[in-house]
Amino acid sequence: MSEKQLASEILTGLQAAGFERGTARVSNDELHELQAENGDLNLFRTNFETEIGMSGILDQSRASLSINKIEKSVVGEAIDNLKLMALSGTPDPAFDIAGNQPAETFSAGPKQPDYELMYDRINEVEAHAKANYPILNLRSAGITYFKRQSAVLNTNGVEFQSVRGQYNVSVSFSSKQELATSSMMYTGFSSFDLDKPIHEYTNVDALFRQSTEQVLTEHLPGKFVGDMVIAPSCLPSFLGFLTARLGDAAMVSGTSVYKDKLGAEVASPLLNLHSQPVGGELCSGYWITGDGYKAENSVIVENGILKTYLLGIYGANKTGMNRAVNGGGCYVVAPGETSYEALIGQVENGILINRFSGGRPNDRGDFSGIAKNSYYVRDGKVQFPIKETTVSGNLIELLKSIQAISRECLNNGSSSYPWIRVGGITAS
Amino acid sequence: MQISEIDLERFSNHFSAYTELRLHENTTQQISLLNGDVVSNARDTSGGVSSRVFDQGSWGFSSNANFTDDAILSTIEASTRNAAFLATRKGDSEARLPAAKAQASSDFRTGKPRMSQDEIIAFLRACDQYVVETCPEIVSRQVGFSALDMEKKLYTSDGSCGHNVNTRSLISIKLTTRNPQGEPIELGEGFGSRGQFEDVFPDMVEVKRKVDELYRHLMNKKDAVKPVSGYHDVILASDLAGILAHEAIGHTTEGDLVKAGSVAGDFLGQRVASEMVTLVDYAHTYEGETLPVPVYLDDEGVASRDCVIIEKGILKNFMHNKDTAQHFNMALTGNARAFSYTDEPLVRMRNTAILPGKDKFEDMVASIESGYLLMRWTNGQADSTSEFMFGVQMGYEIRDGKLGKAITDTTISGVAFDMLKEITMLSDEMTWNCSGMCGKKQPMPVGMGGPAVKTKMFIGGE
């Protein structure tokens, strides 16, 4: 039975059970993974998974449920349980499902894995690391081929089918010289192909080299308030505060600091933030939102001005605002006009931060955490890798304090970010 | 077909090398109330069979969502084929794993009649109503319930077998008020324990106590001051000692991380902590009480036993799976656990705790001239260098031996094997926390415990 046929049967079941509106998602996933640990390619995994998600609205009360078995008896029991769950919920006129849209089928990426190529690429990166960075320990290197074939149908006539296959690559590593150990570092990317050696994607090779430098770290010369150059790999730690507070949870609860900021300046005019789930720049995109709408790209922040919230159907109905045209994610920060060299060259006293290990910021945006795998920058030059360095500040102010954005960007398949320099950070 | 009805041993004649065959099903339940509205009402059941085969030093793994005989056989065949793919290219005919044969079964599902979804939501509404009635300055409130039932049945080619069902039920409450400047100030906590709803929340007593406590601290936090960044004398409240044990020390002593170069590998047999520090990863029982995450048989079929990591300040042991025990030529500890049927077992902590001392909490506060009391963690991370951090959402200044003003959210950090040597007092209480979900490659419920700890740490702030 195809995903579409099963989803259709589930919708019929939901309607027979009395649901006025319902959505069914059925997907079949394949995962093929090769993984090396500490230089030893020692795990080959193949997983086959089915996911069935159903949600229904009954007397304006909503419930959702997921299972991974396709037997009729299991699906029927799930529909019965869903009805009991909905009957125990709270009626809320804000609950709804996606409206009717033309049926569409989407497809992207390779249809099957190339085991031999995956095997060769892992051995190749292991050999590269060993030859060029003898003190680097490649703790793990993994290549996963993941394919999802799915169908989303709802009782308003929505009918989307899709299949996407892609490779996901991850490496984690640290370096050790005698008793000195560097901090762990990790990176990864998604791609439709494995045409290049792993160390030639994004900045994998640069991070390998930096790891070997980071076995010998020094304390900052002293506490200071200065600049911070945020590397692309680290940017989600600082942008995440903004995007999380544009969504349903923060907006419906009324605790978002951005709740009255649509059309207002929330960041430096240098910042342009997009969500691009479709269009090809990012291979880990999506075609259909969680609510069942066909996704579109959007501009979230344009020249520092907030252009949209990231509300789903419920959040939009609850707040009386517009539904976002996508479900967020797939973020792209537009490149700036400053070269990376100039970005660093203009730092009088600051930090180049590659990884942030910090506590969850509070709703006011206050943050503090450790600058890992990072460097002290003085008089426009990267000086030395730092240890036990805490950085703190406020994320709302941080976005407004952006001084420059690099021309260079790193696209890891699920996001594309430049280096960004901000000011007013306390480092100690 | 229920997991309990399936006999795995009858598939053993299809094993051609060392094989672990596991049936595994996770059921989660998630209900969220936001300002009284039920905004999430969801349930997920995900299960299947997995097989892992060890062939000449390489692992083959495969999983399938079905429990049928055909699915189980094809999973065994696929994992065997996967292992052979690697073995034929790089096989090490000398590679061995330590043998282990054990049997254990446990079931922590309730014996009481199950409550309906209606009844659980009614309970949560009552919690929410209690907040409304007793917390007048709240501007936003969230009440949530989450449950995870994890059922596993295992058979290995060594003859190990077991059927274990672990359960966990948590209620989370987050309260938000506004400070005099109109800014949101929030405080939250998740609490509960091993067991299903009927056993963990028989009445509202514990919920009311938690709400009262949260609200009292939140009102203090409205006027919080920023801590001064730098090294300070601190008291970590007993709820923080557990995450200290888990993040700061536990991760650095997991066998796979030691094998990968964790700094702890250089310190075995050496003094790494004050003499008063003993740290143990308990398998299932502490002083006769079953712990939050009891593990009797791990997912490699090894009988789980307590692992004394630090004894009176000396680093004694690492936690192991079969591979790392073999690598370090150390005894098996039974720490290999997998979160889902699609996951391979990794070295994971179970119930990690610093043992209590003899000091009274009041004496500990009185002993500090200038410092901080820190409580209620949010998240944490560890590193191969033993540098750690965790987020703290509540705390107080200590001035001249007395508690002072509340402090704003902060991050505390240190180098574990330095910080442990600075421990000078341990309280005589022992608090276990069940709400932890460790995120090392796969999520995994963990238990954490400890007393209040006096030490020195770096605090982020102004």
Side-chain angles (χ1 to χ4, degrees):
Chain A
M1 187 185 298
S2 72
E3 292 84 7
K4 182 184 160 186
Q5 284 171 320
L6 182 52
S8 179
E9 284 190 10
I10 291 167
L11 283 189
T12 303
L14 290 176
Q15 287 172 316
F19 284 96
E20 294 103 16
R21 282 160 286 171
T23 302
R25 290 173 179 269
V26 177
S27 63
N28 281 305
D29 298 345
E30 279 181 41
L31 181 145
H32 307 254
E33 178 186 22
L34 281 171
Q35 183 179 293
E37 280 189 346
N38 304 311
D40 181 21
L41 205 171
N42 66 355
L43 174 66
F44 182 11
R45 180 208 315 265
T46 48
N47 290 344
F48 300 91
E49 166 74 308
T50 301
E51 286 184 18
I52 299 172
M54 58 183 86
S55 63
I57 298 173
L58 179 60
D59 296 334
Q60 270 318 118
S61 179
R62 183 182 66 181
S64 59
L65 185 148
S66 61
I67 53 176
N68 73 340
K69 303 285 185 292
I70 61 170
E71 288 85 354
K72 276 197 168 179
S73 59
V74 179
V75 172
E77 190 183 341
I79 291 171
D80 292 344
N81 284 332
L82 189 73
K83 184 173 181 179
L84 290 175
M85 291 166 68
L87 288 172
S88 62
T90 315
D92 190 332
F95 291 133
D96 206 350
I97 61 172
N100 183 262
Q101 299 152 81
E104 217 166 329
T105 299
F106 309 97
S107 169
K111 299 288 186 291
Q112 58 189 27
D114 184 336
Y115 290 158
E116 295 295 343
L117 183 58
M118 291 165 69
Y119 183 85
D120 290 344
R121 288 291 183 233
I122 289 196
N123 282 326
E124 186 179 51
V125 75
E126 296 280 358
H128 173 81
K130 203 170 182 178
N132 294 281
Y133 309 106
I135 64 169
L136 184 103
N137 178 16
L138 204 46
R139 291 159 169 255
S140 71
I143 300 179
T144 300
Y145 168 82
F146 180 76
K147 184 171 81 170
R148 167 164 292 177
Q149 187 156 324
S150 63
V152 180
L153 276 67
N154 81 9
T155 52
N156 281 343
V158 165
E159 188 182 306
F160 292 130
Q161 295 180 79
S162 64
V163 58
R164 181 187 293 270
Q166 66 187 50
Y167 292 101
N168 300 312
V169 178
S170 64
V171 285
S172 72
F173 44 93
S174 60
S175 297
K176 189 164 189 180
Q177 194 166 31
E178 297 175 350
L179 292 182
T181 302
S182 73
S183 282
M184 282 187 279
M185 190 60 182
Y186 43 84
T187 189
F189 61 88
S190 302
S191 175
F192 287 140
D193 60 57
L194 292 172
D195 290 348
K196 294 186 292 187
I198 289 173
H199 56 271
E200 291 181 11
Y201 282 88
T202 65
N203 61 341
V204 172
D205 194 52
L207 293 175
F208 282 175
R209 176 180 51 74
Q210 290 177 4
S211 176
T212 63
E213 296 168 0
Q214 291 160 4
V215 291
L216 299 173
T217 53
E218 296 179 38
H219 286 288
L220 281 183
K223 182 174 171 177
F224 65 85
V225 176
D227 297 339
M228 182 162 76
V229 175
I230 305 170
S233 58
C234 198
L235 201 54
S237 299
F238 298 97
L239 283 181
F241 175 80
L242 169 69
T243 51
R245 276 148 188 85
L246 302 179
D248 279 13
M251 290 297 292
V252 173
S253 70
T255 57
S256 172
V257 292
Y258 297 110
K259 68 175 178 173
D260 300 317
K261 301 292 184 190
L262 194 65
E265 188 174 288
V266 296
S268 154
L270 296 173
L271 185 70
N272 288 285
L273 172 65
H274 306 253
S275 176
Q276 296 186 346
V278 292
E281 185 179 352
L282 304 174
C283 79
S284 290
Y286 56 90
W287 296 288
I288 307 151
T289 70
D291 284 332
Y293 278 105
K294 183 181 174 183
E296 299 172 35
N297 294 337
S298 67
V299 180
I300 299 171
V301 175
E302 186 173 49
N303 300 328
I305 306 295
L306 182 64
K307 305 300 282 186
T308 182
Y309 290 107
L310 294 170
L311 297 169
I313 295 173
Y314 178 76
N317 289 344
K318 203 73 181 166
T319 59
M321 297 181 185
N322 290 334
R323 180 184 65 79
V325 297
N326 60 44
C330 300
Y331 293 121
V332 172
V333 170
E337 296 177 350
T338 311
S339 69
Y340 171 77
E341 285 73 21
L343 206 72
I344 294 287
Q346 292 157 3
V347 174
E348 190 180 321
N349 200 21
I351 282 174
L352 166 62
I353 187 167
N354 282 319
R355 184 161 75 89
F356 178 72
S357 173
R360 209 169 289 149
N362 61 26
D363 282 341
R364 286 180 298 166
D366 297 328
F367 75 92
S368 65
I370 318 301
K372 297 271 191 183
N373 309 93
S374 299
Y375 292 82
Y376 178 56
V377 184
R378 176 86 193 175
D379 298 330
K381 290 197 171 63
V382 174
Q383 302 289 327
F384 50 79
I386 51 179
K387 65 178 173 183
E388 297 171 54
T389 299
T390 297
V391 292
S392 59
N394 179 278
L395 293 165
I396 302 164
E397 297 307 316
L398 179 143
L399 293 180
K400 292 178 178 170
S401 75
I402 293 172
Q403 300 167 343
I405 296 180
S406 73
R407 288 198 289 261
E408 300 85 349
C409 289
L410 288 183
N411 179 339
N412 66 11
S414 56
S415 63
S416 177
Y417 293 134
W419 281 259
I420 288 183
R421 191 178 73 231
V422 298
I425 298 299
T426 301
S428 53
Chain B
M1 179 82 75
Q2 301 294 310
I3 286 180
S4 58
E5 298 166 358
I6 301 170
D7 172 21
L8 289 179
E9 188 174 356
R10 65 196 172 89
F11 296 97
S12 60
N13 57 345
H14 295 273
F15 297 169
S16 58
Y18 170 80
T19 302
E20 297 155 2
L21 185 60
R22 171 163 48 98
L23 303 178
H24 185 152
E25 185 167 86
N26 291 347
T27 301
T28 61
Q29 191 176 4
Q30 186 82 43
I31 302 170
S32 303
L33 273 66
L34 173 59
N35 296 331
D37 293 337
V38 179
V39 293
S40 172
N41 185 5
R43 188 189 291 261
D44 174 78
T45 302
S46 177
V49 58
S50 75
S51 171
R52 190 168 74 142
V53 172
F54 185 79
D55 185 358
Q56 300 179 58
S58 295
W59 292 98
F61 183 98
S62 188
S63 69
N64 190 297
N66 296 298
F67 290 138
T68 61
D69 283 8
D70 283 350
I72 293 172
L73 284 172
S74 70
T75 303
I76 295 170
E77 286 167 10
S79 57
T80 304
R81 200 167 51 239
N82 291 348
F85 176 92
L86 295 178
T88 54
R89 285 160 176 78
K90 52 168 284 293
D92 173 8
S93 59
E94 302 296 312
R96 295 284 182 276
L97 290 174
K101 185 174 181 179
Q103 294 185 14
S105 292
S106 59
D107 190 344
F108 291 96
R109 288 176 287 203
T110 185
K112 299 175 183 172
R114 295 310 312 271
M115 287 170 71
S116 69
Q117 188 88 354
D118 249 351
E119 290 169 316
I120 293 174
I121 289 180
F123 186 95
L124 297 176
R125 285 191 200 287
C127 300
D128 183 68
Q129 189 58 32
Y130 183 75
V131 173
V132 171
E133 288 168 1
T134 61
C135 309
E137 293 193 41
I138 296 304
V139 297
S140 177
R141 59 194 196 278
Q142 294 176 37
V143 176
F145 169 66
S146 63
L148 169 62
D149 298 345
M150 187 181 283
E151 180 174 10
K152 296 178 179 180
K153 186 177 239 185
L154 180 75
Y155 187 85
T156 76
S157 53
D158 282 352
S160 284
C161 59
H163 182 201
N164 294 276
V165 186
N166 270 354
T167 57
R168 181 167 89 158
S169 299
L170 303 172
I171 283 180
S172 60
I173 295 176
K174 183 181 174 189
L175 306 178
T176 304
T177 186
R178 294 203 181 274
N179 66 12
Q181 294 75 44
E183 299 166 320
I185 306 293
E186 78 271 20
L187 192 60
E189 184 172 2
F191 54 94
S193 72
R194 178 201 70 255
Q196 292 182 308
F197 191 96
E198 295 77 3
D199 294 328
V200 177
F201 301 108
D203 54 44
M204 292 273 294
V205 173
E206 180 65 3
V207 176
K208 288 181 176 178
R209 191 182 71 78
K210 290 287 186 185
V211 169
D212 293 346
E213 201 180 324
L214 267 184
Y215 188 62
R216 180 170 59 83
H217 287 303
L218 182 65
M219 290 300 100
N220 293 333
K221 199 177 171 186
K222 275 174 63 178
D223 301 312
V225 296
K226 286 193 175 179
V228 178
S229 78
Y231 277 97
H232 296 279
D233 285 330
V234 298
I235 293 173
L236 305 178
S238 56
D239 64 313
L240 277 183
I243 192 166
L244 180 77
H246 180 95
E247 292 294 350
I249 305 110
H251 278 302
T252 59
T253 58
E254 290 170 326
D256 51 349
L257 293 190
V258 178
K259 187 178 172 185
S262 158
V263 70
D266 299 319
F267 296 148
L268 194 65
Q270 296 181 29
R271 174 164 299 286
V272 293
S274 151
E275 193 175 7
M276 63 176 59
V277 175
T278 293
L279 187 146
V280 182
D281 182 57
Y282 289 99
H284 44 74
T285 309
Y286 171 73
E287 293 194 336
E289 295 288 326
T290 304
L291 288 168
V293 183
V295 180
Y296 299 90
L297 180 76
D298 81 357
D299 294 335
E300 293 182 331
V302 176
S304 293
R305 65 174 184 81
D306 298 342
C307 179
V308 179
I309 298 168
I310 296 173
E311 187 174 28
K312 295 180 179 175
I314 307 296
L315 183 62
K316 291 286 192 181
N317 281 301
F318 303 132
M319 292 166 278
H320 291 297
N321 60 13
K322 284 185 171 177
D323 172 68
T324 63
Q326 178 80 8
H327 178 83
F328 290 105
N329 192 25
M330 295 173 85
L332 291 163
T333 55
N335 281 84
R337 294 199 287 150
F339 178 72
S340 154
Y341 77 96
T342 59
D343 293 328
E344 78 280 25
L346 302 176
V347 179
R348 305 307 294 256
M349 284 174 262
R350 300 155 308 187
N351 305 276
T352 317
I354 294 172
L355 269 56
K358 295 178 178 172
D359 296 300
K360 296 295 177 194
F361 180 77
E362 298 74 24
D363 296 336
M364 294 169 70
V365 173
S367 72
I368 291 182
E369 190 177 319
S370 175
Y372 295 96
L373 166 65
L374 303 165
M375 50 210 297
R376 299 182 194 283
W377 52 275
T378 56
N379 62 320
Q381 280 185 359
D383 201 340
S384 50
T385 57
S386 95
E387 192 178 14
F388 66 92
M389 81 84 209
F390 38 98
V392 172
Q393 56 170 332
M394 191 67 224
Y396 290 91
E397 293 178 331
I398 302 175
R399 296 288 179 267
D400 299 324
K402 292 190 174 61
L403 294 185
K405 289 182 177 172
I407 59 170
T408 56
D409 304 61
T410 187
T411 300
I412 58 179
S413 59
V415 175
F417 293 129
D418 295 342
M419 175 274 301
L420 288 173
K421 291 172 186 157
E422 300 281 356
I423 291 177
T424 53
M425 297 177 91
L426 294 171
S427 76
D428 57 2
E429 62 197 318
M430 182 70 167
T431 302
W432 285 97
N433 183 300
C434 181
S435 65
M437 186 65 96
C438 179
K440 176 185 163 185
K441 190 176 179 187
Q442 309 158 14
M444 184 61 75
V446 290
M448 300 182 284
V453 175
K454 180 185 172 187
T455 184
K456 283 182 187 295
M457 274 194 188
F458 193 93
I459 298 186
E462 285 192 324

